[in-house]
Amino acid sequence: MNDRKKAIGIFDSGIGGLTVVKEISRLLPQERIVYFGDTARVPYGSKSKETVTKFSFQNTRFLLEQKVKMVIVACNTASALSLQALREEFKDLPILGVIEPGAKAAVSRTKKKRIGVIGTLGTIASGVYEKNIRELIPEVLVIGQACPLFVPLVEEGWINKQATRLITEEYLTPLRQAGIDTLVLGCTHYPLLKGVIQNVIGEEVSLVDSAFETALAIKEMLTNRSLLRESTDEPEHTFFVSDLPLKFLEMGERFLGRVLPNCLKVTVEGL
Ligand code: DGL
């Protein structure tokens, strides 16, 4: 098959990567997407680099079996812990994570050079956002804050609850006190909490949505490599998961903003 016609492969630890799918569908509606959500092994956010890298290799091999033209690591934790190893292993494959686009956008927005980053324990402990930001502007203050309760709150649909607001205040108060002017939403789930996060951190702080920034970076990469799909037919997307929890389809609709057209259970562990 002509490479332009092939699908974009995307993987995440579970459902959160659908926030990236949503942005790609908006920006590149002609592109076909094959999505793999590792719902049997989620969460990645509390796992070691070694484990997350092993999972990321298997997920990538699975997507390659689906004959994709590029792989997007939609999960912030997997991007932080395994992107480098993936690029070394799969040398000829275009691979993009969500951290470089998010870091780049934060650098272009900050005026005071004071940037906050929120994410899972794994993402924040890795310091990868900070490293990427510092490579672009060395004289910058970057403050990371792990927000491990945000993922379960979003998955429960607790977007507008009082408890969510209190937890958000607890997490974000140190960032507000540090006078940041830009905050990176460094986790797939956080765009769903944009309302409460903006409210607590203050309207003057610019929120960077990594999912949106990644879609822009995908467009640029496909354009530069002459890999954009040219057909205007509506593309058929395919969704795979490693376990099909009862709530997956319901949650999927919340993340994607529309009903998931299909969802198949597969095993990637032996890959
Ligand atoms: N997808 C993960 C991330 O963006 C959040 C969920 C998890 O911990 O696996 O970091």
Side-chain angles (χ1 to χ4, degrees):
M1 195 199 285
N2 168 346
D3 279 357
R4 282 182 182 274
K5 291 188 183 156
K6 291 181 178 171
I8 299 175
I10 303 180
F11 80 81
D12 175 49
S13 57
I15 197 150
L18 294 178
T19 52
V20 180
V21 173
K22 188 174 169 188
E23 297 300 340
I24 299 173
S25 306
R26 241 203 291 250
L27 193 69
L28 297 164
Q30 78 282 12
E31 292 296 332
R32 210 157 58 77
I33 292 169
V34 174
Y35 181 87
F36 173 70
D38 198 3
T39 48
R41 305 188 290 194
V42 70
Y44 284 9
S46 50
K47 295 195 170 74
S48 68
K49 180 173 179 145
E50 201 185 14
T51 301
V52 172
T53 304
K54 183 176 94 182
F55 293 169
S56 296
F57 275 37
Q58 292 170 339
N59 302 345
T60 302
R61 288 192 193 105
F62 171 75
L63 289 173
L64 282 175
E65 281 182 359
Q66 312 310 310
K67 310 255 177 290
V68 296
K69 60 185 169 190
M70 77 186 303
V71 165
I72 310 302
V73 185
C75 176
N76 284 259
T77 308
S79 297
L81 302 184
S82 66
L83 187 71
Q84 206 183 332
L86 284 171
R87 285 184 171 151
E88 281 162 18
E89 176 75 9
F90 303 95
K91 288 205 172 60
D92 300 327
L93 178 69
I95 305 180
L96 200 69
V98 284
I99 292 186
E100 288 157 352
K104 215 168 126 190
V107 167
S108 72
R109 296 220 205 139
T110 187
K111 295 201 172 62
K112 295 200 278 175
K113 296 188 179 152
R114 298 174 91 81
I115 299 173
V117 179
I118 51 176
T120 63
L121 285 166
T123 298
I124 298 305
S126 76
V128 172
Y129 266 108
E130 178 165 358
K131 182 172 167 283
N132 274 266
I133 291 170
R134 229 171 254 295
E135 271 165 18
L136 298 168
I137 33 167
E139 68 301 352
V140 64
L141 176 77
V142 182
I143 307 177
Q145 171 71 54
C147 305
L149 292 171
F150 278 176
V151 167
L153 286 171
V154 169
E155 296 204 350
E156 277 306 310
W158 282 32
I159 307 294
N160 298 313
K161 299 264 188 189
Q162 182 63 8
T164 306
R165 176 158 182 113
L166 293 174
I167 290 167
T168 307
E169 278 172 7
E170 188 78 22
Y171 283 146
L172 300 189
T173 299
L175 301 181
R176 202 178 49 217
Q177 285 170 347
I180 58 162
D181 68 354
T182 305
L183 177 63
V184 181
L185 308 181
C187 174
T188 47
H189 289 55
Y190 300 178
L192 281 90
L193 293 174
K194 251 185 206 167
V196 61
I197 291 173
Q198 187 80 73
N199 200 272
V200 168
I201 198 73
E203 292 301 324
E204 67 288 359
V205 174
S206 173
L207 299 188
V208 175
D209 179 342
S210 294
F212 172 72
E213 301 300 334
T214 301
L216 291 175
I218 294 168
K219 185 172 182 187
E220 193 182 318
M221 195 178 218
L222 290 178
T223 307
N224 291 343
R225 293 176 186 237
S226 307
L227 281 175
L228 280 173
R229 183 170 180 259
E230 282 164 330
S231 165
T232 50
D233 305 348
E234 199 174 323
E236 270 179 42
H237 305 323
T238 318
F239 296 87
F240 296 98
V241 287
S242 48
D243 191 14
L244 202 54
L246 284 177
K247 287 186 73 178
F248 186 79
L249 292 172
E250 178 209 316
M251 277 198 298
E253 195 174 336
R254 214 179 312 133
F255 277 80
L256 199 58
R258 60 188 158 86
V259 178
L260 278 181
N262 53 57
C263 190
L264 293 166
K265 183 173 175 288
V266 290
T267 303
V268 300
E269 265 167 55
L271 297 177

